[in-house]
């Protein structure tokens, strides 16, 4: 055990894990500050890497997590914390790839192009419908006139039949235009729904990736804190340190 003597009652510090001492950073009867590291116990990690990583993690607020130096930390030997770091690193890289590659962009571009084409087609169809409507009105008028003339015996039945055929063709052309116009409007509506759905999915995926990264970042922070508690002997007060027995590494 290590005892720190101060104006307050002495503080007795003992290791929380059964491990040998790796480094002793203070001398017997040395004055130490609050939270000063005095000893480091053996672990499978490089304590310098752990302390460096903890410094980085503690300095990064959640809003700045994308500034995490993932390439630099990949060379660290983290031992007991490695699994938590690997989980965080994967989530971090997945989120970064999602933001960089923008997987919805090709579909979004294609949908936008289709919308432009359909809107152009709508404009043309409306103009065509106006033309067909004018033709239909004229043919209908002529057909009704021919019916009156036929009743008066002015024209033959064959002429009335020809006018009727022209009338039916004009009527069918107008119906076809209306059907095509309706189908095109429906296609535009579906494309708009697709764009809205993509926007929702993008935001949902962004939120999911961000939440996962942040959650695993906090788990990493917790693992670093636990490692610190287990493998670092730190003073919680100011005072003079004294060893109760000889220490060997």
């Amino acid at each position: 055990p290590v005892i720190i003597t101060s104006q307050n009652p002495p503080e007795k510090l003992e290791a929380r894990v059964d491990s040998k001492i790796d480094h002793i950073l203070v001398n017997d009867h040395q004055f130490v500050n609050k939270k000063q590291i005095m000893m480091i116990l053996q672990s499978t990690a490089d304590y310098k890497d752990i302390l460096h990583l903890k410094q980085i993690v503690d300095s990064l607020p959640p809003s700045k997590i994308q500034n995490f130096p993932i390439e630099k930390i990949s060379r660290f030997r983290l031992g007991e914390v490695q699994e938590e770091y690997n989980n965080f690193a994967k989530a971090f890289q997945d989120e970064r790839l999602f933001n960089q590659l923008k997987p919805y962009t090709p579909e979004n571009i294609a949908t936008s192009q289709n919308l432009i084409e359909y809107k152009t087609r709508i404009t043309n169809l409306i103009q065509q419908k106006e033309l067909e409507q004018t033709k239909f009105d004229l043919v209908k008028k002529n057909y009704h006139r021919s019916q009156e003339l036929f009743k008066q015996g002015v024209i033959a039945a064959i002429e009335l039949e020809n006018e009727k055929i022209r009338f039916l063709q004009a009527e069918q052309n107008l119906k076809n235009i209306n059907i095509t116009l309706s189908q095109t409007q429906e296609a535009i509506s579906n494309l708009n729904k697709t764009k809205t759905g993509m926007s929702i999915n993008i935001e949902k995926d962004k939120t999911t990736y961000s939440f996962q990264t942040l959650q695993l970042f906090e788990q990493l922070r917790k693992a670093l804190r636990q490692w610190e508690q287990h493998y670092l002997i730190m003073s919680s007060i100011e005072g003079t340190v004294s060893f109760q027995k000889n220490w060997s590494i």
Side-chain angles (χ1 to χ4, degrees), residues 14-249:
E14 295 182 349
R16 297 188 181 187
V17 294
D18 185 13
S19 179
K20 294 181 179 180
I21 297 173
D22 194 10
H23 290 81
I24 300 176
L25 304 179
V26 295
N27 297 316
D28 199 13
H29 304 303
Q30 176 183 328
F31 180 83
V32 292
N33 296 310
K34 185 177 181 180
K35 293 187 177 181
Q36 181 174 338
I37 300 175
M38 298 182 295
M39 293 183 186
I40 301 168
L41 304 181
Q42 286 183 356
S43 76
T44 57
D46 185 326
Y47 80 92
K48 293 180 181 178
D49 289 343
I50 291 284
L51 294 179
H52 191 176
L53 176 58
K54 188 174 186 302
Q55 181 184 26
I56 292 171
V57 169
D58 289 343
S59 67
L60 275 179
S63 60
K64 300 291 184 182
I65 197 171
Q66 291 306 319
N67 295 331
F68 188 87
I70 195 80
E71 288 78 13
K72 178 180 180 180
I73 307 303
S74 64
R75 299 187 296 271
F76 283 15
R77 185 162 62 88
L78 301 176
E80 293 82 1
V81 184
Q82 191 68 56
E83 182 178 354
E84 285 79 6
Y85 174 76
N86 289 345
N87 292 337
F88 162 72
K90 182 180 183 305
F92 178 88
Q93 290 171 327
D94 287 345
E95 182 181 6
R96 185 166 66 176
L97 282 174
F98 175 81
N99 292 328
Q100 288 176 346
L101 298 179
K102 302 183 186 305
Y104 288 97
T105 298
E107 185 178 356
N108 199 17
I109 291 174
T111 302
S112 297
Q113 290 175 340
N114 286 336
L115 272 172
I116 292 172
E117 293 174 2
Y118 274 112
K119 287 178 179 179
T120 302
R121 190 179 303 174
I122 280 282
T123 302
N124 294 334
L125 285 171
I126 290 173
Q127 293 174 351
Q128 189 175 350
K129 178 183 176 180
E130 292 174 354
L131 179 61
E132 292 296 333
Q133 183 68 54
T134 301
K135 289 181 180 179
F136 174 76
D137 292 340
L138 290 173
V139 172
K140 182 179 179 181
K141 186 176 181 181
N142 288 336
Y143 176 55
H144 288 165
R145 185 184 299 118
S146 296
Q147 284 179 318
E148 292 300 323
L149 292 175
F150 176 74
K151 290 178 183 178
Q152 297 171 12
V154 176
I155 62 173
I158 187 65
E159 292 183 45
L160 178 61
E161 289 177 0
N162 289 336
E163 286 299 330
K164 184 177 181 179
I165 291 172
R166 281 193 287 269
F167 169 74
L168 293 175
Q169 286 177 340
E171 185 179 47
Q172 187 61 48
N173 290 340
L174 189 58
K175 287 181 179 179
N176 290 341
I177 286 292
N178 285 329
I179 291 171
T180 304
L181 190 58
S182 176
Q183 290 173 340
T184 305
Q185 289 170 335
E186 184 179 359
I188 290 175
S189 176
N190 290 335
L191 287 171
N192 283 325
K193 289 178 182 178
T194 299
K195 279 184 68 70
T196 301
M198 278 191 291
S199 297
I200 293 172
N201 288 336
I202 288 170
E203 291 305 314
K204 284 174 61 178
D205 286 351
K206 277 185 178 180
T207 300
T208 299
Y209 279 115
S210 178
F211 176 78
Q212 183 76 358
T213 301
L214 185 58
Q215 185 181 49
L216 292 173
F217 183 72
E218 292 305 320
Q219 288 183 12
L220 174 61
R221 191 197 302 276
K222 181 180 178 182
L224 288 167
R225 203 157 45 233
Q226 289 177 341
W227 187 96
E228 182 181 69
Q229 292 171 352
H230 288 160
Y231 296 101
L232 298 183
I233 305 296
M234 300 175 64
S235 171
S236 62
I237 59 173
E238 289 185 347
T240 302
V241 63
S242 61
F243 303 144
Q244 284 194 318
K245 63 179 182 179
N246 292 331
W247 295 85
S248 60
I249 300 178

